[in-house]
């Protein structure tokens, strides 16, 4: 029996769920007037341009696309998207809002999101930063789906030698993960400067094609100590460590069949994410249980 759909060629036509999403394409301050940006979204060439005054135009060939600016990025869609999810902390006046860099990764967008949700790799991939031996245990945590269909992982606690650029000592860091979009993950974590608040870190993933992504790193921080470059460098260091792991992971598309990759208790977020993608009907960047090939 042949797979019912193969997205590796970048054709999203059989995936209306993926088509009808907003996608961050570029940080607004990086789009220069008079210099259109060419890229790909869901395997299709698109062009984006701005006039420097907050007005933008996006096209796929001769077709105009919807476009909006949110959270410091310019977003577009190949379909008819619903309103974008909210990040209320973005509107807090004392927050440091940063585009911490965009990295192209030779893997699917769902693989990027799943890696972002995984605490188990901290001591081994982000050694002496987000984790360290012998503190390798992932404590039990809760995963729920809210009335809006968003996944929330709460009560996540992990020991981290250097949880953020402004951290000076190791600490037990509290995490909350949120998945408001099939290809977006948001992290709320203990704030070193103000324990009553959380720093917000998000990964807005642009599926270039079925097996290639551009990961936009967004920071919304309470940090009066570090320079913007210092915060960017720390986040790029972390994601740079993830990049090599992601690009060596096979298959590049994320298998949704629970039998394809053996989960452990610490993988509750991943299990919920894969189940969610199955339930909403995502086909782009994944290998569904009705497909037989696990080749990258």
């Amino acid at each position: 029996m042949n797979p019912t759909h193969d997205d590796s060629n970048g054709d999203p036509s059989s995936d209306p769920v993926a088509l009808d999403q907003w996608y961050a394409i570029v940080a607004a301050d990086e789009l220069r007037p008079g210099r259109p940006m060419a890229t790909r979204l869901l395997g299709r060439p698109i062009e984006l341009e701005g006039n420097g005054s907050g007005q933008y135009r996006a096209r796929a060939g001769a077709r105009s696309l919807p476009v909006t600016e949110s959270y410091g990025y310019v977003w577009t869609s190949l379909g008819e998207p619903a309103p974008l999810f909210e990040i209320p902390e973005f509107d807090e006046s004392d927050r440091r809002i940063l585009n911490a860099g965009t990295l192209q990764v030779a893997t699917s967008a769902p693989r990027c999101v799943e890696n972002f949700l995984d605490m188990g790799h901290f001591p081994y991939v982000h050694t002496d930063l987000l984790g360290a031996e012998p503190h390798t245990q992932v404590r039990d945590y809760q995963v729920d789906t809210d009335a809006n269909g968003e996944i929330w992982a709460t009560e996540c606690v992990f020991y981290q030698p250097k949880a953020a650029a402004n951290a000076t000592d190791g600490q037990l860091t509290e995490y909350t993960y949120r998945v408001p979009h099939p290809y977006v993950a948001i992290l709320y974590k203990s704030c070193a400067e103000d324990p009553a608040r959380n720093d917000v870190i998000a990964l807005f993933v642009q599926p270039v094609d079925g097996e290639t992504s551009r990961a936009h790193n967004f920071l919304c921080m309470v940090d009066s100590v570090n320079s913007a470059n210092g915060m960017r460098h720390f986040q790029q260091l972390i994601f740079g460590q993830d990049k090599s792991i992601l690009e060596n992971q096979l298959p590049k598309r994320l298998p949704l069949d629970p039998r394809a990759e053996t989960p452990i208790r610490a993988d509750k977020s991943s299990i919920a994410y894969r189940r969610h993608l199955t339930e909403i009907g995502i086909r782009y960047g994944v290998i569904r249980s009705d497909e037989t090939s696990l080749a990258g």
Side-chain angles (χ1 to χ4, degrees):
M1 179 177 178
N2 292 325
T4 59
H5 174 64
D6 181 4
D7 64 21
S8 61
N9 63 2
D11 178 11
S13 58
S14 66
D15 191 342
V17 180
L19 285 171
D20 288 343
Q21 304 292 331
W22 284 110
Y23 295 97
I25 302 300
V26 64
D29 60 6
E30 292 183 352
L31 193 61
R32 303 289 180 239
R35 297 178 60 183
M37 174 192 175
T39 185
R40 295 177 70 84
L41 175 63
L42 299 173
R44 297 183 179 179
I46 67 168
E47 188 174 271
L48 185 66
E49 59 183 317
N51 65 0
S53 299
Q55 296 178 317
Y56 304 97
R57 184 169 67 171
R59 298 189 300 273
R63 180 165 71 98
S64 293
L65 303 177
V67 63
T68 189
E69 180 181 342
S70 293
Y71 313 129
Y73 291 82
V74 183
W75 303 66
T76 192
S77 175
L78 293 172
E80 299 179 1
L84 190 62
F85 54 86
E86 296 183 357
I87 303 178
E89 292 83 359
F90 179 79
D91 296 319
E92 295 175 2
S93 60
D94 62 337
R95 293 256 176 189
R96 305 280 297 282
I97 308 296
L98 293 173
N99 156 37
T102 296
L103 284 82
Q104 183 149 313
V105 191
T107 196
S108 65
R111 281 289 193 195
C112 291
V113 171
E114 184 181 63
N115 179 80
F116 190 90
L117 300 174
D118 175 37
M119 292 180 287
H121 75 284
F122 287 172
Y124 310 106
V125 178
H126 308 300
T127 307
D128 296 330
L129 294 170
L130 302 187
E133 296 187 77
H135 307 282
T136 60
Q137 181 181 2
V138 177
R139 303 184 186 190
D140 195 25
Y141 58 94
Q142 301 300 313
V143 181
D144 298 288
T145 302
D146 69 13
N148 296 319
E150 297 188 3
I151 299 170
W152 289 83
T154 59
E155 302 177 26
C156 306
V157 178
F158 206 88
Y159 174 79
Q160 299 189 320
K162 188 172 178 61
N166 60 345
T168 56
D169 298 300
Q171 64 185 56
L172 283 175
T173 303
E174 296 184 16
Y175 275 24
T176 294
Y177 290 97
R178 174 188 174 200
V179 181
H181 175 301
Y183 307 130
V184 168
I186 302 174
L187 168 64
Y188 304 86
K189 65 185 296 186
S190 304
C191 174
E193 189 163 310
D194 184 350
R197 303 169 75 187
N198 288 322
D199 287 327
V200 182
I201 302 170
L203 198 66
F204 304 145
V205 187
Q206 172 192 341
V208 174
D209 57 41
E211 298 182 352
T212 311
S213 306
R214 297 179 74 233
H216 306 281
N217 288 266
F218 165 81
L219 302 181
C220 182
M221 312 291 279
V222 179
D223 186 336
S224 61
V225 176
N226 286 281
S227 67
N229 283 341
M231 288 188 282
R232 288 192 186 98
H233 174 76
F234 183 82
Q235 188 62 22
Q236 289 172 7
L237 171 63
I238 297 300
F239 194 81
Q241 293 172 335
D242 285 323
K243 184 176 186 292
S244 61
I245 302 299
L246 282 165
E247 292 187 330
N248 284 288
Q249 214 168 5
L250 295 174
K252 292 183 178 296
R253 292 181 289 153
L254 183 68
L256 301 187
D257 189 327
R259 300 165 298 181
E261 295 177 343
T262 305
I264 58 175
R265 188 183 68 172
D267 295 331
K268 287 199 295 187
S269 292
S270 172
I271 294 167
Y273 175 57
R274 294 186 188 205
R275 183 184 303 120
H276 176 67
L277 295 184
T278 299
E279 291 173 351
I280 65 175
I282 282 286
R283 308 196 73 91
Y284 204 84
V286 303
I287 300 170
R288 295 178 61 87
S289 57
D290 57 5
E291 298 177 344
T292 58
S293 171
L294 295 185

